[in-house]
């Protein structure tokens, strides 16, 4: 699970997808592709973006929901807490100068 | 050469005519009975002699899988130009129109994507 998470975050395109979903949840594949091309000049194909989304979904960083005939993608930040709690432990009073 | 007709596949011509005229604001240009269906076109009131949009029945077996796959990924069937995407977004949402993409700046253009209720997504575009 953690390996999936780090692998998902290692790719710059996938980090951009997360940036865009952080700005607005509930985007279609078309909107995500549009944002990557127009805001970031990224020329990836739709198939490539779709595969990046599948990796993000496997790491539970992106969740999809079907609403009638549409499919929307949402950001899920819960797995990031694993990273924070792994290294950022709460400091005890004697640690702080 | 210039573009004379463009078409969208619709699941019901009556419903499509209502949506494209009453909601989007186009006007009916041609209506010719053809068996169970009609040759049905609409035009922009701003350009009544301009490109006509054919509201074409979606009966061919290839059409539904095609349009459904486009809608699932949020891909518009076609795009229409408007002066102000945000104003149209507010107006149309007030009329109960569903959008799959809210107004989004894309460099020199602003776009939004709406559901035409007849099987298609339609992009509206504003060129600054």
């Amino acid at each position: 699970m953690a390996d999936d998470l780090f692998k998902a975050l290692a790719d710059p395109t996938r980090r951009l997808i997360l940036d865009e979903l952080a700005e607005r949840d509930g985007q279609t594949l078309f909107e995500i592709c549009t944002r990557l091309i127009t805001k970031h000049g990224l020329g990836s194909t739709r198939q490539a973006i779709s595969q990046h989304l599948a990796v993000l979904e496997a790491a539970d960083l992106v969740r999809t929901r079907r609403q009638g005939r549409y499919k929307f993608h949402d950001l899920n930040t819960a797995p990031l807490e694993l990273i924070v709690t792994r290294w950022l432990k709460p400091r005890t009073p004697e640690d702080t100068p | 050469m210039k573009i004379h007709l463009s078409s969208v596949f619709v699941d019901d011509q009556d419903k499509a005519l209502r949506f494209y005229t009453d909601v989007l604001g186009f006007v009916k240009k041609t209506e010719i009975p053809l068996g169970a269906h009609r040759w049905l076109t609409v035009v922009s009131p701003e350009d009544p002699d301009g490109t006509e949009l054919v509201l074409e029945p979606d009966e061919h077996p290839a059409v539904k899988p095609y349009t459904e796959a486009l809608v699932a990924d949020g891909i518009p069937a076609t795009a229409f130009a408007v002066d102000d995407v945000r104003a149209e977004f507010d107006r149309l949402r007030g009329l109960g129109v569903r959008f799959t993409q809210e107004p989004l700046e894309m460099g020199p253009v602003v776009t939004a994507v709406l559901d035409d209720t007849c099987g298609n997504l339609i992009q509206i575009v504003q060129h600054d």
Side-chain angles (χ1 to χ4, degrees):
Chain A
M1 184 62 222
D3 282 345
D4 280 355
L5 177 62
F6 290 114
K7 185 176 160 238
L9 291 170
D11 184 272
T13 301
R14 290 199 284 270
R15 293 198 297 271
L16 280 180
I17 292 172
L18 296 180
D19 289 341
E20 292 306 318
L21 287 176
E23 192 182 305
R24 192 170 89 75
D25 257 336
Q27 296 186 39
T28 62
L29 176 59
F30 176 77
E31 180 170 359
I32 293 167
C33 291
T34 304
R35 283 171 177 258
L36 292 177
I37 293 164
T38 60
K39 291 174 75 179
H40 305 283
L42 217 74
S44 302
T45 61
R46 246 172 40 78
Q47 285 75 14
I49 302 304
S50 181
Q51 280 167 22
H52 281 310
L53 283 167
V55 173
L56 291 168
E57 199 175 350
D60 200 27
L61 287 164
V62 166
R63 290 190 173 167
T64 60
R65 59 193 152 91
R66 284 205 166 271
Q67 203 175 302
R69 301 180 297 131
Y70 332 115
K71 185 180 176 190
F72 294 113
H73 302 79
D74 297 314
L75 176 65
N76 177 36
T77 54
L80 299 176
E81 283 163 22
L82 294 174
I83 298 176
V84 174
T85 52
R86 178 166 171 176
W87 288 295
L88 277 185
K89 288 179 183 145
R91 292 188 176 202
T92 53
E94 46 273 29
D95 283 343
T96 45
Chain B
M1 208 181 291
K2 64 179 186 177
I3 298 170
H4 170 49
L5 299 167
S6 178
S7 57
V8 285
F9 291 110
V10 299
D11 58 7
D12 177 324
Q13 286 188 305
D14 285 314
K15 184 177 68 172
L17 184 60
R18 281 197 302 275
F19 185 83
Y20 278 79
T21 57
D22 295 349
V23 180
L24 293 186
F26 292 112
V27 290
K28 186 167 78 180
K29 171 110 177 187
T30 338
E31 182 169 19
I32 301 169
L34 286 174
H37 301 293
R38 284 160 286 162
W39 176 257
L40 183 61
T41 75
V42 295
V43 287
S44 167
E46 297 161 37
D47 191 13
D49 297 318
T51 306
E52 295 175 45
L53 183 73
V54 185
L55 303 176
E56 193 156 355
D58 68 355
E59 286 217 328
H60 189 281
V63 174
K64 274 178 190 158
Y66 166 76
T67 52
E68 281 168 10
L70 292 185
V71 170
D73 281 350
I75 301 172
T78 190
F80 302 138
V82 297
D83 291 335
D84 184 336
V85 163
R86 284 182 187 85
E88 276 295 320
F89 172 76
D90 291 338
R91 180 184 80 83
L92 293 170
R93 208 163 50 164
L95 292 172
V97 174
R98 291 223 243 178
F99 280 78
T100 61
Q101 184 209 296
E102 291 177 21
L104 173 66
E105 269 186 43
M106 300 166 37
V109 297
V110 183
T111 68
V113 179
L114 62 92
D115 188 330
D116 78 352
T117 71
C118 308
N120 310 289
L121 297 178
I122 299 293
Q123 180 167 262
I124 52 174
V125 188
Q126 164 193 350
H127 292 267
D128 284 327

